[in-house]
């Protein structure tokens, strides 16, 4: 019969129309200020600086790599100096102009010290442009717990890597210290032994620098 | 910019007591501001990728209509809010200013995204305006590239807060002799002429960076 297809189509439309009032999967609206979507871990918005224990000691060493790599050039860093004018390994000022930043994440990628990461904060609308949107270091610094909270996977991986690096560094330092100590001791024993040892032991010593402590015992 | 809080002189206890009986007491100004803030009709125009987020904000998921700002008008004569969503090229800037001039008062501007605030990634380019605030006054700046739909809603809420704090007697558009025609820049051989409107924008003095000892 002519028109039956139209009626069938209308029935589908009507069913969908009615369902859109009570079916849960059809009520898609997020009532934003009260309810929010669950934050995706990989969401990234604006960069922030991370500090380990105290905000006075940020991880950033003011190496200026991120400022050089930032595509729209919105990072300005001034390195801190001590009283003698010797540059310190931390920033005196660190400004990111959020009105220019394009959320690209290059700064996070290039930072060799894992000091800058992308944040989840997005409620950043401001009335003023120049002062309000220029984020200075006191607004950028956030503790590492914050990073762990917003991006646990990345944070765990990076913390583990940092720990490994630190341990390796410590081990190397210990080894170096032991070697230095051994050398010093060897020199000492050598100096004390010089008068009463025979001359033929001497050529052996430089070949085994790690051994003298054992010999000295 | 600071806003004086718009406090009612009616005793809040009495007000809530009356509200329970179904009587709303408020100053004319509060009623006026409530009306304004609940029906901000944006102009339907987008310039670049931020416009996609603006469209997403208007769709069912975020539904900008919950704020009374869902009626995107195709004509500047019927709109209150201009969402400058996207890169303002120098070719487009005169049109944006012209549209702003055609909007009836009161009118508001939200710059959405890095490009319209400051030129963003194209700020060093030859063909992009370094921020629409060189030609028209901007109420809310919304950073991001692009800002997500919730961020636009947050910007809209900020604009509503600003409207709430406006004083009906002191607002610009009720002052005598106000004529707000902003000069439309010309596209000359070396970019736009004039490069900015000195009424609304002045070159910022470069901040001297001093190293603390
Ligand atoms: S954030 Fe990283 S790359 Fe940038 S200056 Fe600090 S240490 Fe260097
Ligand atoms: S996210 Fe990109 S644009 Fe923003 S500060 Fe980092 S490098 Fe610069």
């Amino acid at each position: 019969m002519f028109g039956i297809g139209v009626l069938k189509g209308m029935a589908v439309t009507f069913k969908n129309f009615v369902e859109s009032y009570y079916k849960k999967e059809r009520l898609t609206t997020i009532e934003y200020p009260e309810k929010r979507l669950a934050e995706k871990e990989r969401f990234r918005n604006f960069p922030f600086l991370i500090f380990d224990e105290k905000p006075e000691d940020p991880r950033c060493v003011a190496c200026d790599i991120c400022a050089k790599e930032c595509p729209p050039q919105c990072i300005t860093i001034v390195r801190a100096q001590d009283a003698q004018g010797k540059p310190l390994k931390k920033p005196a000022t660190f400004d990111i102009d959020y009105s220019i930043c394009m959320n690209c994440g290059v700064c996070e990628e290039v930072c060799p010290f894992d000091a800058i990461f992308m944040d989840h904060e997005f409620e950043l609308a401001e009335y003023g442009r120049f002062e309000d949107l220029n984020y200075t270091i006191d607004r950028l610094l956030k503790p590492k717990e914050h990073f762990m909270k917003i991006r646990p996977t990345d944070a765990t991986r990076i913390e583990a890597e940092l720990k490994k690096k630190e341990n390796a560094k410590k081990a190397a330092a210990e080894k170096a210290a032991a070697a230095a100590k051994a050398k010093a001791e060897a020199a000492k024993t050598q100096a004390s032994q010089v008068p009463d040892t025979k001359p033929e032991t001497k050529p052996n010593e430089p070949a085994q620098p790690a051994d003298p402590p054992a010999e000295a015992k | 910019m600071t806003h004086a809080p718009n406090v009612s002189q009616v005793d809040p206890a009495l007000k809530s007591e009356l509200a329970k009986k179904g009587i709303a007491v408020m100053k004319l100004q509060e009623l006026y501001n409530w009306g304004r803030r609940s029906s901000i009709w944006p102009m339907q125009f987008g310039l670049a990728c931020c416009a996609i987020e603006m469209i997403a904000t208007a769709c069912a998921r975020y539904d900008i209509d919950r704020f009374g700002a869902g009626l995107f008008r195709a004509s500047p004569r019927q709109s209150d809010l201009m969402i400058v969503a996207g890169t303002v090229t120098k070719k487009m800037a005169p049109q944006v200013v012209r549209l702003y001039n055609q909007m009836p008062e009161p009118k508001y501007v939200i710059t959405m995204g890095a490009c319209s605030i400051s030129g963003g990634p194209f700020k060093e380019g030859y063909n992009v305006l370094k921020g629409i605030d060189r030609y028209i006054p901007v109420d809310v700046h919304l950073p991001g590239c692009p800002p997500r739909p919730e961020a636009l809603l947050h910007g809209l809420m900020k604009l509503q807060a600003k409207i709430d704090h406006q004083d009906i007697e002191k607002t610009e558009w009720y002052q005598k002799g106000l004529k707000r025609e902003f000069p439309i820049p010309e596209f000359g051989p070396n970019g736009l002429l004039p490069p900015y409107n000195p009424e609304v924008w002045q070159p910022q003095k470069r901040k001297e960076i001093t190293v603390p000892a």
Side-chain angles (χ1 to χ4, degrees):
Chain A
M1 204 182 83
F2 179 72
I4 206 113
V6 174
L7 284 182
K8 261 188 197 158
M10 292 300 276
V12 171
T13 310
F14 187 70
K15 188 170 146 257
N16 282 321
F17 170 69
V18 174
E19 273 180 358
S20 73
Y21 277 92
Y22 66 91
K23 268 217 158 162
K24 201 153 181 277
E25 61 265 32
R26 284 176 183 276
L27 296 170
T28 52
T29 307
I30 309 290
E31 297 187 359
Y32 156 63
E34 292 89 29
K35 287 186 208 136
R36 290 150 193 267
L37 282 177
E39 220 51 273
K40 293 275 185 298
E41 205 187 318
R42 304 296 303 248
F43 170 55
R44 59 170 202 226
N45 211 15
F46 281 97
F48 72 98
L49 288 175
I50 200 165
F51 66 85
D52 285 319
E53 265 98 48
K54 285 180 288 171
E56 297 85 59
D57 293 326
R59 260 192 217 166
C60 172
V61 299
C63 65
D64 222 26
I65 289 174
C66 55
K68 286 203 184 83
E69 293 284 337
C70 172
Q73 298 283 301
C74 64
I75 307 180
T76 314
I77 305 167
V78 174
R79 189 173 263 231
Q81 293 182 338
D82 65 6
Q84 280 85 45
K86 213 176 115 222
L88 293 174
K89 272 193 175 181
K90 68 183 203 179
T93 69
F94 193 113
D95 295 359
I96 299 183
D97 195 342
Y98 273 20
S99 74
I100 299 171
C101 172
M102 63 182 207
N103 315 151
C104 60
V106 164
C107 46
E108 170 179 333
E109 264 166 47
V110 297
C111 178
F113 299 94
D114 297 313
I116 189 163
F117 291 106
M118 305 305 277
D119 204 351
H120 283 185
E121 190 64 51
F122 58 85
E123 290 157 316
L124 300 159
E126 296 283 359
Y127 297 122
R129 165 176 165 188
F130 289 101
E131 293 305 313
D132 293 354
L133 283 177
N134 187 20
Y135 274 61
T136 47
I137 188 157
D138 45 319
R139 282 206 279 175
L140 288 171
L141 273 175
K142 287 184 182 166
K144 71 174 176 195
E145 286 75 31
H146 173 77
F147 183 44
M148 192 54 108
K149 206 178 99 212
I150 59 168
R151 285 165 56 183
T153 318
D154 288 347
T156 323
R157 178 175 57 78
I158 286 165
E159 293 297 319
E161 264 170 31
L162 276 181
K163 195 142 226 181
K164 219 160 113 193
K165 239 186 245 171
E166 205 171 287
N167 282 349
K169 218 176 181 181
K170 219 186 260 168
E174 258 166 29
K175 213 168 159 194
K181 207 169 146 203
K183 218 173 192 177
E185 244 164 57
K188 221 187 289 122
T189 46
Q190 199 187 331
S192 58
Q193 277 168 10
V194 165
D196 49 65
T197 41
K198 285 165 204 157
E200 52 256 43
T201 51
K202 250 186 175 178
N204 285 345
E205 273 180 36
Q208 310 153 314
D211 283 349
E215 277 177 23
K217 265 177 202 169
Chain B
M1 232 178 273
T2 51
H3 304 284
N6 186 4
V7 210
S8 166
Q9 276 137 20
V10 186
D11 178 23
L14 176 67
K15 208 171 163 179
S16 69
E17 191 62 34
L18 282 170
K20 270 182 216 150
K21 297 202 174 93
I23 304 167
V25 180
M26 59 174 85
K27 274 160 84 182
L28 179 64
Q29 174 173 303
E30 282 173 328
L31 183 69
Y32 174 84
N33 284 342
W34 172 79
R36 283 239 68 80
R37 75 193 283 276
S38 316
S39 63
I40 314 171
W41 292 358
M43 185 159 29
Q44 189 178 35
F45 90 115
L47 296 172
C49 11
C50 281
I52 304 298
E53 297 293 310
M54 187 175 75
I55 295 161
T57 319
C59 289
R61 187 67 154 174
Y62 299 101
D63 198 7
I64 200 171
D65 232 347
R66 292 179 293 125
F67 297 85
L71 210 51
F72 282 79
R73 302 308 301 186
S75 159
R77 301 282 184 209
Q78 298 166 346
S79 39
D80 309 293
L81 168 67
M82 183 187 227
I83 304 177
V84 188
T87 321
V88 188
T89 55
K90 287 189 178 162
K91 207 81 175 168
M92 197 63 197
Q95 275 65 264
V96 174
V97 179
R98 180 167 294 139
L99 285 173
Y100 182 74
N101 281 342
Q102 288 173 352
M103 281 162 68
E105 244 103 35
K107 48 191 174 186
Y108 307 99
V109 178
I110 293 181
T111 51
M112 183 181 181
C115 299
S116 62
I117 302 177
S118 66
F122 314 110
K123 128 177 125 35
E124 314 278 331
Y126 63 94
N127 60 343
V128 172
L129 189 65
K130 293 173 189 62
I132 191 64
D133 59 349
R134 286 171 184 237
Y135 293 110
I136 56 178
V138 174
D139 294 290
V140 176
H141 296 85
L142 182 52
C145 190
R148 53 189 286 172
E150 288 106 315
L152 178 57
L153 292 180
H154 178 254
L156 188 72
M157 276 151 58
K158 275 222 130 159
L159 180 65
Q160 287 184 329
K162 185 173 177 174
I163 295 173
D164 272 343
H165 293 159
Q166 271 176 343
D167 196 331
I168 193 168
E169 284 156 16
K170 291 193 191 122
T171 44
E172 290 169 87
W173 45 87
Y174 290 130
Q175 304 306 311
K176 236 186 196 156
L178 175 91
K179 194 171 149 279
R180 290 240 297 205
E181 275 285 297
F182 288 92
I184 296 165
E186 292 266 318
F187 192 67
N190 297 317
L192 289 170
L193 285 170
Y196 55 87
N197 178 3
E199 239 180 278
V200 293
W201 195 86
Q202 290 289 346
Q204 292 279 310
K205 239 191 253 150
R206 193 170 275 267
K207 206 172 80 190
E208 286 301 319
I209 299 174
T210 45
V211 183

